[in-house]
Amino acid sequence: MSQRTAARRASRQSAPIVSSSHLVSPRSRELSELEFGLIVAWNAFSRWAVRCMAAAGCPDLTITDVLLLHHVQHRARNKKLADICFVLNYEDTHVVAYSLKKLVSAGLVQTEKQGKEVFYSPTPQGEAFVQQYRTVREECLIKSLDTELNADIGELARFLRTMSGLYDQAARSASAM
């Protein structure tokens, strides 16, 4: 038995690590463990992304600003507000619109009106900060990543997308109650 398999078995047998013990269900303590992991991972990722962007020379951005700047640059295609919200699973378009306005004011994103639609794209300065972010990311994060974990990371990413669908469906159900 590999060390990784033994560690997984041992962790399953120990007490759950959760943030809200009153929510632990006899049907799935693992879901409460996952939710705590999501909370901790989201906060760590948010802190990382904001600090990475600051190290890239662009301080004072929120996590939403950083994510939007990266997404606006994604695949070098202009993007509409509704498409950005849809892809990144933001429900509140006002939060995204406010962040995009901040990025436009900072000279990182530009707008182009086509008919009634407004499209967003990065400015050359925005592109330069995104490239510098990538450089910092390679140096500080990727360099220290155990590449043997890459297959597990891919599986986890697919799992998280599946869970986001379950949470979205549960949110719709809860809204109908």
Side-chain angles (χ1 to χ4, degrees):
M1 180 181 341
S2 74
Q3 280 184 321
R4 188 180 298 174
T5 303
R8 284 182 184 159
R9 283 187 183 163
S11 71
R12 278 188 234 133
Q13 295 168 356
S14 63
I17 299 173
V18 300
S19 66
S20 304
S21 60
H22 59 279
L23 295 178
V24 177
S25 170
R27 292 184 60 192
S28 181
R29 80 175 193 164
E30 294 84 358
L31 186 60
S32 292
E33 289 182 285
L34 171 69
E35 289 171 345
F36 181 58
L38 288 172
I39 292 165
V40 173
W42 171 251
N43 287 318
F45 172 75
S46 297
R47 186 171 37 257
W48 152 251
V50 167
R51 290 189 180 156
C52 184
M53 188 56 82
C58 197
D60 302 324
L61 296 184
T62 67
I63 183 59
T64 299
D65 302 334
V66 173
L67 296 176
L68 294 179
L69 180 58
H70 286 297
H71 185 64
V72 166
Q73 170 124 2
H74 179 61
R75 298 196 178 168
R77 292 187 196 137
N78 294 354
K79 308 211 175 34
K80 298 185 296 185
L81 173 65
D83 294 335
I84 293 167
C85 291
F86 178 74
V87 170
L88 296 180
N89 204 16
Y90 274 88
E91 185 175 36
D92 191 346
T93 58
H94 299 292
V95 170
V96 175
Y98 176 74
S99 182
L100 287 168
K101 284 180 186 179
K102 281 177 46 182
L103 293 170
V104 169
S105 293
L108 303 173
V109 169
Q110 59 195 356
T111 61
E112 179 185 332
K113 198 161 185 175
Q114 295 177 9
K116 293 182 179 181
E117 294 287 351
V118 176
F119 287 83
Y120 297 89
S121 62
T123 63
Q125 182 184 16
E127 289 176 348
F129 280 123
V130 167
Q131 187 56 45
Q132 187 58 31
Y133 179 103
R134 180 186 172 130
T135 301
V136 173
R137 182 176 182 263
E138 288 287 331
E139 182 63 29
C140 296
L141 183 63
I142 303 297
K143 195 175 184 180
S144 63
L145 181 66
D146 178 358
T147 55
E148 289 181 23
L149 293 176
N150 282 337
D152 291 340
I153 291 170
E155 274 184 55
L156 179 59
R158 287 183 286 281
F159 174 74
L160 288 173
R161 286 190 301 272
T162 298
M163 289 304 298
S164 77
L166 292 174
Y167 279 109
D168 281 340
Q169 180 57 47
R172 282 189 289 280
S173 296
S175 292
M177 293 181 111

